[in-house]
Amino acid sequence: MCLQDKKIRACIFDMDGVLVNTEKYHFMAWQRLTETLGFTIDEKFNENLKGVSRSVCVDLILKHGGLTKTQEEKNALAAQKNEWFLEFVKTEVTPANVYPGVLDFLHSLKSKGYKTAVGSASKNTMLLLNKLEIIQYFDAIVDGNMIEKAKPNPEVFLKGAELLNVRPCECVVFEDAYSGVEAAKNGGMYCIGVGSPEVLSKADFCIRTFMEMNVERLKEL
Ligand code: BG6
Ligand code: MG
């Protein structure tokens, strides 16, 4: 139990939409895919796709469009979306895509001895962290290749805490997705929402960008 000792020892970061603005490229690739299927998706629907695995996204999209596909067809759709997403990554993503304030915050966490991890549903996590040149800031990385249960299941964050050798209640998770906030809370962790407090209402508090974040604020939790 952590009741007496509320000290935060570790920060676990979601990647897409938290560390980097790749969420928009996921959205654009899904939009392109749905157009080939004869319908469109909007930003509001896209909130459901944030934080969840590629295959779950395909299921949600097909349900939204009222379509049924075989497993083989679904795999092909997921592969096509990933190909388009990776084209964006190749042409658009550089270290400049890391969100403002992220590097300063990571620097201060490291200098003050906090442990850090990434907890992402994306199977492209390693590729992106390398491309963004931020991989060296993390003591552990848990990605979509290492987990079985999609957020809001807490598996990805619990695995992160385990690799960092800290208790869940000593962790703060940074999340931009509704399902991700739920995953952190389901895992017994603190959660700071990155984005709109209306969407991320279950977070302990929200920031709009990491320019608002510093180590002192971790003590508010
Ligand atoms: C999450 C994104 O981080 O990763 C989702 O929020 C995405 O939008 C999911 O679908 C899976 O990503 P990938 O790169 O494995 O297709
Ligand atoms: Mg995210």
Side-chain angles (χ1 to χ4, degrees):
M1 289 292 285
C2 283
L3 289 176
Q4 275 125 15
D5 176 15
K6 285 187 78 182
K7 198 165 170 257
I8 297 298
R9 295 177 60 207
C11 290
I12 305 181
F13 298 84
D14 172 52
M15 179 182 66
D16 294 303
V18 168
L19 297 173
V20 58
N21 65 352
T22 36
E23 207 52 79
K24 71 175 176 192
Y25 303 120
H26 281 294
F27 181 44
M28 285 155 77
W30 287 127
Q31 274 185 315
R32 194 167 162 189
L33 191 80
T34 54
E35 275 159 26
T36 69
L37 295 168
F39 60 98
T40 53
I41 52 168
D42 59 17
E43 299 244 8
K44 188 161 180 272
F45 175 76
N46 190 50
E47 290 300 329
N48 302 305
L49 304 181
K50 290 184 181 175
V52 293
S53 68
R54 202 180 306 161
S55 58
V56 172
C57 288
V58 170
D59 287 335
L60 291 172
I61 281 170
L62 291 174
K63 192 169 170 220
H64 186 66
L67 298 177
T68 310
K69 299 277 180 192
T70 64
Q71 191 54 52
E72 206 176 318
E73 288 167 330
K74 289 200 258 186
N75 294 346
L77 291 171
Q80 176 62 85
K81 181 268 172 178
N82 195 48
E83 199 180 309
W84 285 330
F85 174 71
L86 291 178
E87 273 174 29
F88 287 125
V89 171
K90 199 169 159 197
T91 55
E92 311 282 335
V93 177
T94 71
N97 290 60
V98 174
Y99 276 132
V102 167
L103 289 184
D104 282 346
F105 184 53
L106 288 171
H107 273 292
S108 60
L109 286 175
K110 298 317 298 173
S111 69
K112 298 214 160 59
Y114 287 89
K115 294 185 179 181
T116 54
V118 172
S120 169
S122 173
K123 294 184 172 173
N124 295 304
T125 299
M126 297 303 278
L127 172 91
L128 275 158
L129 294 177
N130 274 310
K131 193 141 206 267
L132 296 164
E133 298 174 7
I134 55 172
I135 200 159
Q136 67 277 15
Y137 291 106
F138 302 102
D139 304 306
I141 293 161
V142 184
D143 70 12
N145 299 296
M146 298 163 71
I147 51 165
E148 280 167 18
K149 299 174 203 117
K151 299 171 186 175
N153 188 289
E155 184 186 10
V156 66
F157 297 135
L158 292 177
K159 199 160 250 179
E162 192 185 317
L163 290 174
L164 294 177
N165 200 22
V166 293
R167 295 176 292 176
C169 61
E170 294 171 319
C171 297
V172 181
V173 169
F174 289 88
E175 257 294 350
D176 70 314
Y178 180 81
S179 62
V181 172
E182 281 202 309
K185 299 313 291 178
N186 287 339
M189 298 174 172
Y190 292 96
C191 185
I192 299 178
V194 184
S196 152
E198 288 78 52
V199 178
L200 309 174
S201 56
K202 291 193 179 168
D204 290 285
F205 66 83
C206 284
I207 55 172
R208 287 281 172 181
T209 81
F210 278 91
M211 307 288 274
E212 295 164 41
M213 198 58 216
N214 54 52
V215 167
E216 282 308 304
R217 289 199 75 182
L218 294 179
K219 293 174 190 152
E220 287 173 30
L221 292 165

